[in-house]
Amino acid sequence: MERAVARIDFEAVRANCARLRDELSDGAELCAVVKADGYGHGAEGCAAAALAGGATRLAVATAREAEEVARRLGHVPLLAMGALSEPEVDIALGAGAELGLWSEDFRRLLAERARAAGQPARVHVKLDSGMGRLGTFDPAEAIALARACDADPDLELAGVWTHFATADELDDDGYFEQQLQRFDPVARALKAEFPDILVHAANSAAVFRQRRSHYEMARCGIAVYGLDPFQGDPAERGLAPGLSLRSYVATVKRFPAGQSAGYGRTWRAPRDTWVGVIPVGYGDGVRRGLSNRAEVLVGGRRRPLVGTISMDNLTVDLGPETAIAAGEEAVLIGAQGGEEIRAEELAAQLGTINYEITCGLSPRVPRRPA
Ligand SMILES: *Cc1c(COP(=O)(O)O)cnc(C)c1O
């Protein structure tokens, strides 16, 4: 029995990508986003599964991630989406990554570094249509940058793109549509002038929300991993979770009424009961905020997580009578028997989103194939 392990279902990742491909408008490519170690699922294995499921491109956030993906997967079209400092530009170019671009200063730097590397850099000009993060707000500047890239022998204009702030919020006062309306004329003008470029805007939520956002490629992360972009039930969108978090019951102890469990005595047995100790904690990324809130599957049933989660242990109430003995499997995320605990459920208990649940699993938890 392993102390704690994240089981990764690569077949589910593959099938989720095939599902996303079905959802996309004709001809639109799927770019699988594998940043943050594949949202905590392991970038290398998930990238390979995504490509097997019909993704034709990959994206990461940082230069180091680009380097790692290129080293492990060889030549696959790869977009580094984040802001890059000068040394990071060299790393990303060395990895053969395509880069985002939104200022004349960065355009000059990139051209200089690409010339030094002896290979033109492929760039995607980013319009900030309302995310308020990376990209230029000014459509004229985006168009001017695209022309300057096209005219520069050290650069190749590869795309024009934007990113949505509220694709996952259906009740957003029309903000998603406004962003689309700001991006669309810039995308059309550049596509008319440079027919070979790739126009892209949609993340996972946008793919399900609005076909007009698909353009020629969608950059999907969360749905690739079978997590629901709208924080609902992924099965309703034909997605299956790619990760489960499993541990075991290390000890079962009789607690007399009034005995407390864990630091600070935040829970006391309301009656004589059996308590199981599970050797995972916030050192593994099981957030302390779940103390006295979440449930854990043991023996195919939901058991309340009682007491404060420690760095390396947590406790569950097995009830006054139990057949559970030390050695039984415990599931913190995933299915057991007919029950399932999804990342979306834990996210709601913490007031966060499923993205943060899987990204937050620490390196102490080995990732292994399911
Ligand atoms: C992370 C990211 C994505 C993927 O978003 P999901 O909601 O996980 O599908 C797409 N585009 C950009 C710019 C991102 O940073």
Side-chain angles (χ1 to χ4, degrees):
M1 190 60 78
E2 207 163 2
R3 185 191 65 85
V5 59
R7 291 282 166 199
I8 310 302
D9 185 346
F10 294 113
E11 171 50 27
V13 172
R14 189 203 60 74
N16 292 332
C17 288
R19 167 81 191 86
L20 285 163
R21 282 290 305 270
D22 287 345
E23 196 70 23
L24 286 173
S25 310
D26 285 348
E29 292 184 60
L30 175 63
C31 172
V33 179
V34 297
K35 62 191 179 187
D37 201 24
Y39 292 39
H41 296 61
E44 182 185 358
C46 289
L51 294 169
T56 46
R57 293 165 179 270
L58 301 171
V60 293
T62 74
R64 289 285 175 209
E65 289 172 346
E67 188 179 43
E68 184 71 7
V69 167
R71 192 159 62 81
R72 304 267 181 184
L73 285 123
H75 190 72
V76 180
L78 174 64
L79 174 63
M81 300 188 293
L84 301 174
S85 67
E86 190 167 339
E88 289 164 349
V89 164
D90 290 337
I91 293 167
L93 290 179
E98 304 180 9
L99 308 181
L101 183 147
W102 46 84
S103 77
E104 178 58 21
D105 283 353
F106 190 73
R107 194 193 68 72
R108 289 220 186 86
L109 168 70
L110 205 53
E112 180 206 307
R113 300 318 303 157
R115 179 175 324 191
Q119 172 103 323
R122 289 175 57 79
V123 299
H124 296 243
V125 172
K126 188 163 198 182
L127 180 76
D128 188 338
S129 59
M131 177 67 174
R133 210 172 63 178
L134 303 176
T136 170
F137 281 130
D138 181 0
E141 186 181 18
I143 290 171
L145 278 169
R147 288 178 181 151
C149 291
D150 182 65
D152 191 322
D154 296 311
L155 300 176
E156 273 176 34
L157 181 64
V160 57
W161 60 313
T162 194
H163 190 43
F164 296 110
T166 61
D168 58 339
E169 288 169 49
L170 297 173
D171 134 30
D172 65 353
D173 286 328
Y175 199 73
F176 175 84
E177 283 296 328
Q178 283 170 36
Q179 281 200 256
L180 203 48
Q181 277 164 31
R182 282 197 200 113
F183 178 63
D184 195 65
V186 176
R188 281 175 194 280
L190 287 177
K191 186 70 185 175
E193 197 170 334
F194 307 107
D196 293 340
I197 65 171
L198 198 64
V199 177
H200 50 111
N203 59 0
S204 300
V207 166
F208 291 104
R209 177 165 176 169
Q210 175 55 270
R211 288 184 76 77
R212 282 188 296 112
S213 74
H214 296 181
Y215 293 100
E216 292 158 310
M217 180 177 93
R219 306 180 306 270
C220 294
I222 200 77
V224 164
Y225 306 101
L227 299 171
D228 186 56
F230 303 94
Q231 304 302 312
D233 180 356
E236 283 174 16
R237 272 170 261 278
L239 302 169
L243 178 146
S244 66
L245 177 62
R246 291 166 190 276
S247 179
Y248 75 106
V249 180
T251 321
V252 177
K253 287 161 66 163
R254 187 70 178 163
F255 270 43
Q259 171 63 50
S260 60
Y263 289 116
R265 310 190 67 203
T266 61
W267 177 83
R268 296 174 200 211
R271 40 163 167 61
D272 291 0
T273 192
W274 292 94
V275 166
V277 182
I278 297 171
V280 294
Y282 62 79
D284 301 293
V286 177
R287 295 258 304 274
R288 191 169 172 276
L290 293 170
S291 300
N292 294 306
R293 292 188 174 200
E295 292 175 318
V296 178
L297 303 180
V298 181
R301 279 173 44 196
R302 288 174 172 265
R303 316 285 179 166
L305 193 165
V306 294
T308 303
I309 297 174
S310 314
M311 191 182 294
D312 316 308
N313 292 285
L314 56 81
T315 36
V316 294
D317 186 0
L318 299 171
E321 307 291 339
T322 189
I324 301 298
E328 289 255 359
E329 183 191 58
V331 175
L332 292 104
I333 302 171
Q336 189 193 59
E339 279 289 348
E340 185 181 13
I341 292 174
R342 290 194 292 263
E344 289 79 9
E345 174 180 333
L346 300 180
Q349 285 159 344
L350 286 163
T352 183
I353 51 176
N354 48 10
Y355 297 68
E356 201 182 17
I357 301 298
T358 59
C359 282
L361 294 178
S362 81
R364 193 164 84 173
V365 180
R367 274 65 168 177
R368 300 199 201 289

PDB file of all heavy atoms in Angstrom, residues 224-253:
ATOM      1  N   VAL A 224      -9.236  19.258 -20.686  1.00  0.00           N
ATOM      2  CA  VAL A 224      -8.351  18.160 -21.090  1.00  0.00           C
ATOM      3  C   VAL A 224      -8.194  17.169 -19.933  1.00  0.00           C
ATOM      4  O   VAL A 224      -8.121  15.952 -20.135  1.00  0.00           O
ATOM      5  CB  VAL A 224      -6.974  18.730 -21.508  1.00  0.00           C
ATOM      6  CG1 VAL A 224      -5.894  17.649 -21.550  1.00  0.00           C
ATOM      7  CG2 VAL A 224      -7.080  19.453 -22.855  1.00  0.00           C
ATOM      8  N   TYR A 225      -8.190  17.721 -18.711  1.00  0.00           N
ATOM      9  CA  TYR A 225      -7.984  16.886 -17.521  1.00  0.00           C
ATOM     10  C   TYR A 225      -9.305  16.354 -16.962  1.00  0.00           C
ATOM     11  O   TYR A 225      -9.329  15.742 -15.891  1.00  0.00           O
ATOM     12  CB  TYR A 225      -7.205  17.695 -16.472  1.00  0.00           C
ATOM     13  CG  TYR A 225      -5.929  18.231 -17.077  1.00  0.00           C
ATOM     14  CD1 TYR A 225      -5.827  19.556 -17.503  1.00  0.00           C
ATOM     15  CD2 TYR A 225      -4.858  17.374 -17.328  1.00  0.00           C
ATOM     16  CE1 TYR A 225      -4.686  20.025 -18.135  1.00  0.00           C
ATOM     17  CE2 TYR A 225      -3.716  17.833 -17.962  1.00  0.00           C
ATOM     18  CZ  TYR A 225      -3.641  19.163 -18.365  1.00  0.00           C
ATOM     19  OH  TYR A 225      -2.516  19.609 -19.017  1.00  0.00           O
ATOM     20  N   GLY A 226     -10.391  16.624 -17.673  1.00  0.00           N
ATOM     21  CA  GLY A 226     -11.688  16.100 -17.265  1.00  0.00           C
ATOM     22  C   GLY A 226     -12.295  16.830 -16.089  1.00  0.00           C
ATOM     23  O   GLY A 226     -13.159  16.299 -15.386  1.00  0.00           O
ATOM     24  N   LEU A 227     -11.837  18.071 -15.887  1.00  0.00           N
ATOM     25  CA  LEU A 227     -12.415  18.909 -14.835  1.00  0.00           C
ATOM     26  C   LEU A 227     -13.375  19.871 -15.512  1.00  0.00           C
ATOM     27  O   LEU A 227     -13.166  20.274 -16.661  1.00  0.00           O
ATOM     28  CB  LEU A 227     -11.305  19.654 -14.098  1.00  0.00           C
ATOM     29  CG  LEU A 227     -10.296  18.726 -13.398  1.00  0.00           C
ATOM     30  CD1 LEU A 227      -9.103  19.509 -12.885  1.00  0.00           C
ATOM     31  CD2 LEU A 227     -10.963  17.956 -12.273  1.00  0.00           C
ATOM     32  N   ASP A 228     -14.453  20.236 -14.814  1.00  0.00           N
ATOM     33  CA  ASP A 228     -15.486  21.033 -15.463  1.00  0.00           C
ATOM     34  C   ASP A 228     -15.137  22.518 -15.432  1.00  0.00           C
ATOM     35  O   ASP A 228     -14.942  23.079 -14.358  1.00  0.00           O
ATOM     36  CB  ASP A 228     -16.834  20.806 -14.792  1.00  0.00           C
ATOM     37  CG  ASP A 228     -17.921  21.522 -15.562  1.00  0.00           C
ATOM     38  OD1 ASP A 228     -18.048  21.246 -16.772  1.00  0.00           O
ATOM     39  OD2 ASP A 228     -18.595  22.394 -14.995  1.00  0.00           O
ATOM     40  N   PRO A 229     -15.071  23.173 -16.609  1.00  0.00           N
ATOM     41  CA  PRO A 229     -14.717  24.601 -16.634  1.00  0.00           C
ATOM     42  C   PRO A 229     -15.748  25.471 -15.907  1.00  0.00           C
ATOM     43  O   PRO A 229     -15.435  26.598 -15.528  1.00  0.00           O
ATOM     44  CB  PRO A 229     -14.663  24.962 -18.121  1.00  0.00           C
ATOM     45  CG  PRO A 229     -15.071  23.766 -18.893  1.00  0.00           C
ATOM     46  CD  PRO A 229     -15.237  22.606 -17.960  1.00  0.00           C
ATOM     47  N   PHE A 230     -16.963  24.953 -15.740  1.00  0.00           N
ATOM     48  CA  PHE A 230     -18.017  25.731 -15.079  1.00  0.00           C
ATOM     49  C   PHE A 230     -18.229  25.281 -13.632  1.00  0.00           C
ATOM     50  O   PHE A 230     -19.226  25.635 -13.003  1.00  0.00           O
ATOM     51  CB  PHE A 230     -19.316  25.626 -15.875  1.00  0.00           C
ATOM     52  CG  PHE A 230     -19.168  26.069 -17.315  1.00  0.00           C
ATOM     53  CD1 PHE A 230     -18.906  25.152 -18.321  1.00  0.00           C
ATOM     54  CD2 PHE A 230     -19.246  27.414 -17.657  1.00  0.00           C
ATOM     55  CE1 PHE A 230     -18.740  25.556 -19.640  1.00  0.00           C
ATOM     56  CE2 PHE A 230     -19.089  27.828 -18.974  1.00  0.00           C
ATOM     57  CZ  PHE A 230     -18.833  26.896 -19.969  1.00  0.00           C
ATOM     58  N   GLN A 231     -17.321  24.466 -13.110  1.00  0.00           N
ATOM     59  CA  GLN A 231     -17.359  23.988 -11.718  1.00  0.00           C
ATOM     60  C   GLN A 231     -18.562  23.096 -11.421  1.00  0.00           C
ATOM     61  O   GLN A 231     -18.967  22.943 -10.269  1.00  0.00           O
ATOM     62  CB  GLN A 231     -17.306  25.165 -10.719  1.00  0.00           C
ATOM     63  CG  GLN A 231     -16.105  26.078 -10.902  1.00  0.00           C
ATOM     64  CD  GLN A 231     -14.771  25.364 -10.783  1.00  0.00           C
ATOM     65  OE1 GLN A 231     -14.549  24.605  -9.842  1.00  0.00           O
ATOM     66  NE2 GLN A 231     -13.881  25.561 -11.741  1.00  0.00           N
ATOM     67  N   GLY A 232     -19.142  22.519 -12.499  1.00  0.00           N
ATOM     68  CA  GLY A 232     -20.265  21.599 -12.303  1.00  0.00           C
ATOM     69  C   GLY A 232     -19.784  20.158 -12.388  1.00  0.00           C
ATOM     70  O   GLY A 232     -18.683  19.831 -11.942  1.00  0.00           O
ATOM     71  N   ASP A 233     -20.631  19.310 -12.984  1.00  0.00           N
ATOM     72  CA  ASP A 233     -20.293  17.893 -13.123  1.00  0.00           C
ATOM     73  C   ASP A 233     -19.677  17.675 -14.507  1.00  0.00           C
ATOM     74  O   ASP A 233     -20.360  17.830 -15.517  1.00  0.00           O
ATOM     75  CB  ASP A 233     -21.576  17.063 -12.967  1.00  0.00           C
ATOM     76  CG  ASP A 233     -21.307  15.569 -13.100  1.00  0.00           C
ATOM     77  OD1 ASP A 233     -20.151  15.183 -13.386  1.00  0.00           O
ATOM     78  OD2 ASP A 233     -22.263  14.801 -12.919  1.00  0.00           O
ATOM     79  N   PRO A 234     -18.403  17.290 -14.562  1.00  0.00           N
ATOM     80  CA  PRO A 234     -17.764  17.121 -15.878  1.00  0.00           C
ATOM     81  C   PRO A 234     -18.488  16.100 -16.757  1.00  0.00           C
ATOM     82  O   PRO A 234     -18.480  16.227 -17.988  1.00  0.00           O
ATOM     83  CB  PRO A 234     -16.342  16.661 -15.543  1.00  0.00           C
ATOM     84  CG  PRO A 234     -16.280  16.436 -14.068  1.00  0.00           C
ATOM     85  CD  PRO A 234     -17.484  17.047 -13.442  1.00  0.00           C
ATOM     86  N   ALA A 235     -19.123  15.105 -16.137  1.00  0.00           N
ATOM     87  CA  ALA A 235     -19.811  14.063 -16.918  1.00  0.00           C
ATOM     88  C   ALA A 235     -20.911  14.669 -17.785  1.00  0.00           C
ATOM     89  O   ALA A 235     -21.200  14.174 -18.874  1.00  0.00           O
ATOM     90  CB  ALA A 235     -20.396  13.008 -15.980  1.00  0.00           C
ATOM     91  N   GLU A 236     -21.517  15.772 -17.318  1.00  0.00           N
ATOM     92  CA  GLU A 236     -22.585  16.402 -18.103  1.00  0.00           C
ATOM     93  C   GLU A 236     -22.066  16.971 -19.420  1.00  0.00           C
ATOM     94  O   GLU A 236     -22.826  17.234 -20.338  1.00  0.00           O
ATOM     95  CB  GLU A 236     -23.261  17.514 -17.294  1.00  0.00           C
ATOM     96  CG  GLU A 236     -24.210  16.931 -16.272  1.00  0.00           C
ATOM     97  CD  GLU A 236     -24.798  17.978 -15.346  1.00  0.00           C
ATOM     98  OE1 GLU A 236     -24.727  19.190 -15.666  1.00  0.00           O
ATOM     99  OE2 GLU A 236     -25.314  17.577 -14.288  1.00  0.00           O
ATOM    100  N   ARG A 237     -20.760  17.188 -19.512  1.00  0.00           N
ATOM    101  CA  ARG A 237     -20.174  17.659 -20.764  1.00  0.00           C
ATOM    102  C   ARG A 237     -19.354  16.565 -21.442  1.00  0.00           C
ATOM    103  O   ARG A 237     -18.551  16.831 -22.325  1.00  0.00           O
ATOM    104  CB  ARG A 237     -19.320  18.903 -20.519  1.00  0.00           C
ATOM    105  CG  ARG A 237     -20.142  20.175 -20.601  1.00  0.00           C
ATOM    106  CD  ARG A 237     -19.377  21.384 -20.136  1.00  0.00           C
ATOM    107  NE  ARG A 237     -19.745  21.704 -18.770  1.00  0.00           N
ATOM    108  CZ  ARG A 237     -20.820  22.401 -18.434  1.00  0.00           C
ATOM    109  NH1 ARG A 237     -21.599  22.877 -19.365  1.00  0.00           N
ATOM    110  NH2 ARG A 237     -21.107  22.634 -17.188  1.00  0.00           N
ATOM    111  N   GLY A 238     -19.535  15.333 -20.973  1.00  0.00           N
ATOM    112  CA  GLY A 238     -18.838  14.203 -21.591  1.00  0.00           C
ATOM    113  C   GLY A 238     -17.366  14.133 -21.238  1.00  0.00           C
ATOM    114  O   GLY A 238     -16.575  13.541 -21.967  1.00  0.00           O
ATOM    115  N   LEU A 239     -16.995  14.735 -20.109  1.00  0.00           N
ATOM    116  CA  LEU A 239     -15.593  14.720 -19.682  1.00  0.00           C
ATOM    117  C   LEU A 239     -15.424  13.783 -18.490  1.00  0.00           C
ATOM    118  O   LEU A 239     -16.333  13.649 -17.668  1.00  0.00           O
ATOM    119  CB  LEU A 239     -15.161  16.135 -19.271  1.00  0.00           C
ATOM    120  CG  LEU A 239     -15.296  17.220 -20.344  1.00  0.00           C
ATOM    121  CD1 LEU A 239     -15.089  18.598 -19.742  1.00  0.00           C
ATOM    122  CD2 LEU A 239     -14.317  16.984 -21.490  1.00  0.00           C
ATOM    123  N   ALA A 240     -14.263  13.154 -18.399  1.00  0.00           N
ATOM    124  CA  ALA A 240     -13.994  12.233 -17.281  1.00  0.00           C
ATOM    125  C   ALA A 240     -12.712  12.659 -16.569  1.00  0.00           C
ATOM    126  O   ALA A 240     -11.691  12.897 -17.219  1.00  0.00           O
ATOM    127  CB  ALA A 240     -13.845  10.810 -17.797  1.00  0.00           C
ATOM    128  N   PRO A 241     -12.756  12.755 -15.235  1.00  0.00           N
ATOM    129  CA  PRO A 241     -11.576  13.216 -14.492  1.00  0.00           C
ATOM    130  C   PRO A 241     -10.340  12.352 -14.760  1.00  0.00           C
ATOM    131  O   PRO A 241     -10.424  11.126 -14.810  1.00  0.00           O
ATOM    132  CB  PRO A 241     -12.005  13.101 -13.029  1.00  0.00           C
ATOM    133  CG  PRO A 241     -13.493  13.130 -13.049  1.00  0.00           C
ATOM    134  CD  PRO A 241     -13.897  12.494 -14.346  1.00  0.00           C
ATOM    135  N   GLY A 242      -9.219  13.023 -14.895  1.00  0.00           N
ATOM    136  CA  GLY A 242      -7.969  12.332 -15.202  1.00  0.00           C
ATOM    137  C   GLY A 242      -7.133  12.031 -13.972  1.00  0.00           C
ATOM    138  O   GLY A 242      -6.069  11.416 -14.096  1.00  0.00           O
ATOM    139  N   LEU A 243      -7.600  12.447 -12.801  1.00  0.00           N
ATOM    140  CA  LEU A 243      -6.769  12.251 -11.601  1.00  0.00           C
ATOM    141  C   LEU A 243      -7.605  11.754 -10.436  1.00  0.00           C
ATOM    142  O   LEU A 243      -8.724  12.219 -10.216  1.00  0.00           O
ATOM    143  CB  LEU A 243      -6.111  13.594 -11.219  1.00  0.00           C
ATOM    144  CG  LEU A 243      -5.225  13.634  -9.954  1.00  0.00           C
ATOM    145  CD1 LEU A 243      -4.074  14.629 -10.157  1.00  0.00           C
ATOM    146  CD2 LEU A 243      -6.014  14.023  -8.699  1.00  0.00           C
ATOM    147  N   SER A 244      -7.041  10.806  -9.686  1.00  0.00           N
ATOM    148  CA  SER A 244      -7.615  10.480  -8.381  1.00  0.00           C
ATOM    149  C   SER A 244      -6.478  10.484  -7.358  1.00  0.00           C
ATOM    150  O   SER A 244      -5.314  10.244  -7.709  1.00  0.00           O
ATOM    151  CB  SER A 244      -8.350   9.139  -8.408  1.00  0.00           C
ATOM    152  OG  SER A 244      -7.455   8.080  -8.627  1.00  0.00           O
ATOM    153  N   LEU A 245      -6.815  10.814  -6.139  1.00  0.00           N
ATOM    154  CA  LEU A 245      -5.824  10.897  -5.071  1.00  0.00           C
ATOM    155  C   LEU A 245      -6.150   9.824  -4.045  1.00  0.00           C
ATOM    156  O   LEU A 245      -7.232   9.846  -3.447  1.00  0.00           O
ATOM    157  CB  LEU A 245      -5.853  12.289  -4.432  1.00  0.00           C
ATOM    158  CG  LEU A 245      -4.898  12.483  -3.251  1.00  0.00           C
ATOM    159  CD1 LEU A 245      -3.444  12.295  -3.671  1.00  0.00           C
ATOM    160  CD2 LEU A 245      -5.097  13.885  -2.647  1.00  0.00           C
ATOM    161  N   ARG A 246      -5.223   8.884  -3.893  1.00  0.00           N
ATOM    162  CA  ARG A 246      -5.487   7.707  -3.071  1.00  0.00           C
ATOM    163  C   ARG A 246      -4.460   7.545  -1.961  1.00  0.00           C
ATOM    164  O   ARG A 246      -3.288   7.835  -2.138  1.00  0.00           O
ATOM    165  CB  ARG A 246      -5.484   6.446  -3.966  1.00  0.00           C
ATOM    166  CG  ARG A 246      -6.675   6.461  -4.880  1.00  0.00           C
ATOM    167  CD  ARG A 246      -6.632   5.487  -6.023  1.00  0.00           C
ATOM    168  NE  ARG A 246      -7.736   5.812  -6.913  1.00  0.00           N
ATOM    169  CZ  ARG A 246      -8.989   5.390  -6.755  1.00  0.00           C
ATOM    170  NH1 ARG A 246      -9.300   4.583  -5.764  1.00  0.00           N
ATOM    171  NH2 ARG A 246      -9.934   5.779  -7.587  1.00  0.00           N
ATOM    172  N   SER A 247      -4.946   7.074  -0.814  1.00  0.00           N
ATOM    173  CA  SER A 247      -4.084   6.786   0.310  1.00  0.00           C
ATOM    174  C   SER A 247      -4.654   5.552   1.013  1.00  0.00           C
ATOM    175  O   SER A 247      -5.338   4.737   0.360  1.00  0.00           O
ATOM    176  CB  SER A 247      -4.034   8.006   1.240  1.00  0.00           C
ATOM    177  OG  SER A 247      -3.217   7.759   2.369  1.00  0.00           O
ATOM    178  N   TYR A 248      -4.401   5.403   2.279  1.00  0.00           N
ATOM    179  CA  TYR A 248      -4.936   4.234   2.989  1.00  0.00           C
ATOM    180  C   TYR A 248      -5.110   4.586   4.457  1.00  0.00           C
ATOM    181  O   TYR A 248      -4.590   5.594   4.946  1.00  0.00           O
ATOM    182  CB  TYR A 248      -4.027   3.022   2.798  1.00  0.00           C
ATOM    183  CG  TYR A 248      -2.753   3.064   3.610  1.00  0.00           C
ATOM    184  CD1 TYR A 248      -2.593   2.245   4.735  1.00  0.00           C
ATOM    185  CD2 TYR A 248      -1.719   3.934   3.280  1.00  0.00           C
ATOM    186  CE1 TYR A 248      -1.424   2.280   5.489  1.00  0.00           C
ATOM    187  CE2 TYR A 248      -0.552   3.979   4.030  1.00  0.00           C
ATOM    188  CZ  TYR A 248      -0.404   3.160   5.125  1.00  0.00           C
ATOM    189  OH  TYR A 248       0.726   3.215   5.870  1.00  0.00           O
ATOM    190  N   VAL A 249      -5.858   3.724   5.131  1.00  0.00           N
ATOM    191  CA  VAL A 249      -6.065   3.909   6.569  1.00  0.00           C
ATOM    192  C   VAL A 249      -4.884   3.253   7.279  1.00  0.00           C
ATOM    193  O   VAL A 249      -4.684   2.037   7.181  1.00  0.00           O
ATOM    194  CB  VAL A 249      -7.386   3.261   7.022  1.00  0.00           C
ATOM    195  CG1 VAL A 249      -7.591   3.449   8.522  1.00  0.00           C
ATOM    196  CG2 VAL A 249      -8.562   3.846   6.245  1.00  0.00           C
ATOM    197  N   ALA A 250      -4.078   4.089   7.956  1.00  0.00           N
ATOM    198  CA  ALA A 250      -2.871   3.553   8.594  1.00  0.00           C
ATOM    199  C   ALA A 250      -3.197   2.919   9.946  1.00  0.00           C
ATOM    200  O   ALA A 250      -2.574   1.927  10.333  1.00  0.00           O
ATOM    201  CB  ALA A 250      -1.843   4.670   8.770  1.00  0.00           C
ATOM    202  N   THR A 251      -4.157   3.489  10.671  1.00  0.00           N
ATOM    203  CA  THR A 251      -4.535   2.989  12.001  1.00  0.00           C
ATOM    204  C   THR A 251      -6.013   3.246  12.214  1.00  0.00           C
ATOM    205  O   THR A 251      -6.524   4.268  11.758  1.00  0.00           O
ATOM    206  CB  THR A 251      -3.834   3.803  13.120  1.00  0.00           C
ATOM    207  OG1 THR A 251      -2.518   4.097  12.736  1.00  0.00           O
ATOM    208  CG2 THR A 251      -3.827   3.076  14.424  1.00  0.00           C
ATOM    209  N   VAL A 252      -6.665   2.345  12.908  1.00  0.00           N
ATOM    210  CA  VAL A 252      -8.056   2.572  13.347  1.00  0.00           C
ATOM    211  C   VAL A 252      -8.046   2.519  14.871  1.00  0.00           C
ATOM    212  O   VAL A 252      -7.520   1.574  15.458  1.00  0.00           O
ATOM    213  CB  VAL A 252      -9.003   1.492  12.776  1.00  0.00           C
ATOM    214  CG1 VAL A 252     -10.419   1.705  13.294  1.00  0.00           C
ATOM    215  CG2 VAL A 252      -8.970   1.507  11.250  1.00  0.00           C
ATOM    216  N   LYS A 253      -8.593   3.551  15.483  1.00  0.00           N
ATOM    217  CA  LYS A 253      -8.551   3.639  16.953  1.00  0.00           C
ATOM    218  C   LYS A 253      -9.919   3.896  17.544  1.00  0.00           C
ATOM    219  O   LYS A 253     -10.724   4.621  16.959  1.00  0.00           O
ATOM    220  CB  LYS A 253      -7.617   4.792  17.356  1.00  0.00           C
ATOM    221  CG  LYS A 253      -6.164   4.443  17.119  1.00  0.00           C
ATOM    222  CD  LYS A 253      -5.297   5.646  17.065  1.00  0.00           C
ATOM    223  CE  LYS A 253      -5.217   6.357  18.390  1.00  0.00           C
ATOM    224  NZ  LYS A 253      -4.041   7.268  18.371  1.00  0.00           N
TER     225      LYS A 253
END
